[in-house]
Amino acid sequence: MPAEPQVTLHRILELLGFSATVEEHRMEDGILLDVKADDSGRLIGRQGQTLADLQYITNRLLFQQDPSVPKALVDIGGYRAQAREALVKKAKEAAEKVRRWGDVVELEPLSAFDRRIIHQALKDDPSIETHSVEVEGTDKKAILLRPKH
């Protein structure tokens, strides 16, 4: 049975007691499942944690149905797009500090998803290099920005 991302996520939301619509959009590196719900704040959760969990569960179920299914990105009410813009802005501001002062700048511990956005935002910057480093007491890692030599 082929995996049906839109149907799968809609069913999860239904089982959780949420009334929502799910739109499926193809992207070059996977599928975007855009959720519209009245209760979007509860679905997003604190710092997007519930949204991240929902995405994880959705992808696990889809992979069990069909291991070749592309990865699904779940967004609710444009939350991920806004969060992405804020992270890119933060990355560029930190890179500017590194260029100006020549010091290492450390960003707060971030999820793997958020770290990837930062690394991607700065990967083509010829004067900055980024590294993820372990942070004691958390499963998240921080990003260090430093001048390229």
Side-chain angles (χ1 to χ4, degrees), residues 18 27 70 76 79 91 101 111 114 118 120 133-134 136-137 148:
F18 289 94
M27 299 187 312
I76 298 172
Y79 175 83
W101 308 111
S111 68
D114 290 347
I118 301 264
Q120 292 290 84
V133 293
E134 300 278 333
E136 269 187 54
K148 268 188 190 167

Side-chain angles (χ1 to χ4, degrees), residues 39-143:
D39 222 354
S40 59
R42 282 186 52 218
L43 281 172
I44 293 167
R46 189 163 168 256
Q47 294 183 322
Q49 188 58 54
T50 306
L51 175 57
D53 294 342
L54 196 57
Q55 177 173 299
Y56 175 78
I57 290 167
T58 301
N59 278 299
R60 293 289 303 156
L61 287 170
L62 292 172
F63 183 78
Q64 283 181 339
Q65 292 169 19
D66 177 1
S68 69
V69 70
K71 195 162 168 57
L73 175 70
V74 178
D75 196 2
I76 298 172
Y79 175 83
R80 287 224 192 261
Q82 290 175 334
R84 176 185 211 94
E85 283 175 29
L87 280 170
V88 168
K89 183 175 183 232
K90 180 183 288 197
K92 292 189 174 176
E93 288 169 354
E96 191 51 44
K97 284 181 187 171
V98 171
R99 273 193 287 281
R100 185 175 298 138
W101 308 111
D103 289 335
V104 172
V105 172
E106 180 177 339
L107 299 178
E108 75 276 5
L110 299 164
S111 68
F113 185 86
D114 290 347
R115 286 195 316 274
R116 185 167 182 269
I117 291 170
I118 301 264
H119 289 303
Q120 292 290 84
L122 297 175
K123 76 177 191 315
D124 295 327
D125 189 317
S127 61
I128 304 293
E129 59 184 28
T130 60
H131 300 280
S132 293
V133 293
E134 300 278 333
V135 176
E136 269 187 54
T138 177
D139 59 349
K140 295 180 178 181
K141 294 180 181 177
I143 293 184

